[in-house]
Amino acid sequence: MDIDGFYEIIQMRRDVRNEFIGGPMDQSKLKRILRAAHQAPSVGMTQPWDFILVDDDAIRIDFRDHVLVERSKFSDRLIGEAQETFNPIKIEGIMESAIGIVVTYDPSRGGSAILGRNTIDETGLYSVCLAIENLWLAATAEGYGVGWVSFYQESFLCDLVGIPSPLRPIAWLCLGPISTLMEVPDLERFNWRGRRPLEEALFQNRYGERLKLDL
Amino acid sequence: MDIDGFYEIIQMRRDVRNEFIGGPMDQSKLKRILRAAHQAPSVGMTQPWDFILVDDDAIRIDFRDHVLVERSKFSDRLIGEAQETFNPIKIEGIMESAIGIVVTYDPSRGGSAILGRNTIDETGLYSVCLAIENLWLAATAEGYGVGWVSFYQESFLCDLVGIPSPLRPIAWLCLGPISTLMEVPDLERFNWRGRRPLEEALFQNRYGERLKLDL
């Protein structure tokens, strides 16, 4: 295995909004991407995720409209300069991507005694996120883009695509062919927020104690 | 990029308990693994994670002892056959791994108006999990093993490594050199729970509607 190639994927991966160029998608690539997601680790092997592939335009338009309302609400809450910085930033590519993938979490899968979820209930949610990152990296490896849309009310999305209780939607992922992957993340390019140095995120043995290891 | 090599890593990755062979770790590999984690996507570019590298044996022993108590509590709650299936399963490699990495979540990072966390507060937690999956895959690519330990009380781990409020620990990851990666996940080998067919996890446009796409 070419380890540089692996790290290249990690580094190239972006949260795509502007660069989607529509379908069609190669079905064998799509299957490999979904299989990679499904091979993620999960607490107690529950594999508590499902993937709803949304290619119906009526559903996508309804979702896009809902997201734009939530975007406005967020913008209205921002003050002064923050609002000016936020307003030019596109936060979704729902209609421009090839398909939407709604990723759901089923907390009931695996029954009542889930190995590893006995002390921390959210470990089930965590598993679904691991699957999402596998999907995201696989799509990047295949030359596709992924954009995670989170400006929505969960209840709206449940109604829209029929997600039954007690399941929860965890993400709407825009997926599809793209023109390019930007080198710099959108939120950094638009001066919303920059990247944090790795060294600031590392401690040794106790939170707040800087690393003595020479990395 | 060799795409088969990428999918090989996805497929080889395991939750390791039994196969750790202790240290030392190559420091440049460790740095690459941590950098990969830190390059994960995050809601509003908050990068809300930190990594506490635990190489102090006293801390590790305390944590291991706590985990074994929580393991017993879980075992005690199981009935009949489930308990017999569970008891031989090792659920942590805290002392056998080279180091522990406590991954934390800081919900306050990024201030009060976080782009993309406006409707769903847990998106901050989700970001930390994406970083964990990057770390896990990078370690696999480097030939190391990772085991996520979740049999603990968050308050115990906060006290043990000084995690201040409002931060939360999301995982204790055992990391280090291994003898091998098992082909079949432990929980499947020990008949706790098997792998679910991919097809069962896929729907089209509505939860419960089977995929018509020919994948």
Side-chain angles (χ1 to χ4, degrees):
Chain A
M1 161 66 197
D2 170 13
I3 202 159
D4 293 339
F6 170 78
Y7 284 117
E8 203 180 323
I9 292 168
I10 293 275
Q11 195 185 338
M12 286 175 60
R13 183 214 50 74
R14 282 289 163 272
D15 199 341
V16 176
R17 281 86 171 79
N18 288 292
E19 292 78 27
F20 288 111
I21 54 172
M25 288 182 71
D26 182 296
Q27 299 296 298
S28 57
K29 288 186 182 186
L30 177 58
K31 182 162 188 179
R32 287 198 294 266
I33 292 167
L34 292 166
R35 194 192 297 133
H38 193 59
Q39 288 175 324
S42 62
V43 66
M45 282 278 284
T46 46
Q47 307 151 78
W49 47 70
D50 290 290
F51 307 94
I52 309 171
L53 279 58
V54 182
D55 60 356
D56 181 311
D57 272 351
I59 296 176
R60 299 210 287 176
I61 289 169
D62 281 356
F63 185 64
R64 194 263 325 267
D65 291 349
H66 169 74
V67 165
L68 292 181
V69 169
E70 292 299 330
R71 186 192 193 289
S72 298
K73 285 188 203 165
F74 179 69
S75 175
D76 290 347
R77 282 175 39 214
L78 296 174
I79 298 160
E81 201 181 337
Q83 197 177 62
E84 281 170 40
T85 305
F86 174 66
N87 283 344
I89 301 177
K90 184 169 166 68
I91 53 97
E92 53 77 30
I94 298 163
M95 299 309 297
E96 300 88 347
S97 56
I99 55 168
I101 300 186
V102 180
V103 187
T104 60
Y105 167 52
D106 183 352
S108 69
R109 196 168 296 156
S112 59
I114 291 172
L115 194 164
R117 213 178 90 194
N118 36 310
T119 54
I120 305 160
D121 197 50
E122 289 101 326
T123 51
L125 284 174
Y126 300 167
S127 303
V128 178
C129 300
L130 303 180
I132 290 173
E133 184 63 359
N134 270 17
L135 186 158
W136 207 330
L137 294 172
T140 306
E142 297 283 3
Y144 289 152
V146 170
W148 182 329
V149 182
S150 59
F151 281 74
Y152 62 83
Q153 302 290 338
E154 291 191 3
S155 58
F156 179 89
L157 186 50
C158 286
D159 289 347
L160 187 65
V161 295
I163 299 170
S165 176
L167 279 69
R168 285 179 64 182
I170 305 304
W172 176 297
L173 304 176
C174 301
L175 171 66
I178 47 173
S179 55
T180 187
L181 285 172
M182 301 305 288
E183 265 193 58
V184 178
D186 280 12
L187 298 194
E188 185 172 342
R189 282 191 301 127
F190 284 88
N191 296 311
W192 179 263
R193 201 176 163 84
R195 279 174 279 191
R196 190 175 175 230
L198 172 60
E199 294 67 31
E200 286 184 18
L202 302 180
F203 301 110
Q204 191 163 352
N205 289 317
R206 232 184 134 69
Y207 193 90
E209 284 189 16
R210 285 292 157 209
L211 208 62
K212 286 180 229 51
L213 287 171
D214 183 27
L215 288 190
Chain B
M1 163 67 199
D2 169 13
I3 202 159
D4 292 338
F6 170 77
Y7 284 118
E8 203 180 325
I9 293 168
I10 293 275
Q11 195 186 338
M12 285 175 60
R13 184 214 50 75
R14 282 289 163 272
D15 201 340
V16 176
R17 281 87 171 77
N18 287 294
E19 292 80 27
F20 288 111
I21 54 173
M25 287 182 71
D26 181 296
Q27 299 295 295
S28 58
K29 288 186 182 187
L30 177 58
K31 183 164 186 177
R32 286 198 295 267
I33 292 167
L34 292 166
R35 194 194 295 133
H38 193 57
Q39 287 174 325
S42 62
V43 66
M45 281 278 283
T46 46
Q47 304 149 81
W49 47 70
D50 290 291
F51 306 94
I52 310 171
L53 279 59
V54 182
D55 60 356
D56 183 309
D57 272 351
I59 297 175
R60 299 210 288 176
I61 289 168
D62 281 356
F63 186 64
R64 195 262 326 265
D65 291 349
H66 170 74
V67 165
L68 292 182
V69 169
E70 292 299 330
R71 187 193 193 287
S72 298
K73 285 188 201 163
F74 179 69
S75 175
D76 290 346
R77 281 176 41 216
L78 295 174
I79 299 160
E81 201 181 339
Q83 198 178 61
E84 281 170 40
T85 306
F86 175 67
N87 283 345
I89 302 178
K90 184 168 165 68
I91 54 96
E92 54 76 31
I94 298 164
M95 299 309 298
E96 300 88 349
S97 56
I99 56 168
I101 299 186
V102 180
V103 188
T104 60
Y105 167 53
D106 182 352
S108 70
R109 196 167 295 154
S112 60
I114 291 171
L115 194 164
R117 213 179 88 194
N118 35 309
T119 52
I120 305 160
D121 198 50
E122 288 100 327
T123 51
L125 284 175
Y126 299 168
S127 302
V128 178
C129 301
L130 303 180
I132 290 172
E133 184 64 359
N134 271 17
L135 186 157
W136 207 330
L137 293 172
T140 306
E142 298 283 3
Y144 289 152
V146 170
W148 182 327
V149 182
S150 59
F151 280 75
Y152 62 84
Q153 300 291 338
E154 290 192 3
S155 58
F156 179 90
L157 186 50
C158 286
D159 289 347
L160 186 66
V161 295
I163 299 170
S165 175
L167 279 68
R168 284 178 65 181
I170 305 302
W172 178 296
L173 303 176
C174 301
L175 172 66
I178 47 173
S179 55
T180 187
L181 285 172
M182 300 305 288
E183 266 193 56
V184 177
D186 279 12
L187 298 195
E188 186 172 339
R189 281 190 303 126
F190 284 88
N191 296 313
W192 179 263
R193 200 174 164 84
R195 278 175 281 191
R196 192 174 171 229
L198 173 60
E199 295 65 31
E200 285 183 17
L202 302 180
F203 301 111
Q204 191 163 351
N205 289 316
R206 228 183 139 70
Y207 193 90
E209 284 189 16
R210 285 291 157 210
L211 208 62
K212 286 181 232 45
L213 286 171
D214 182 29
L215 288 188

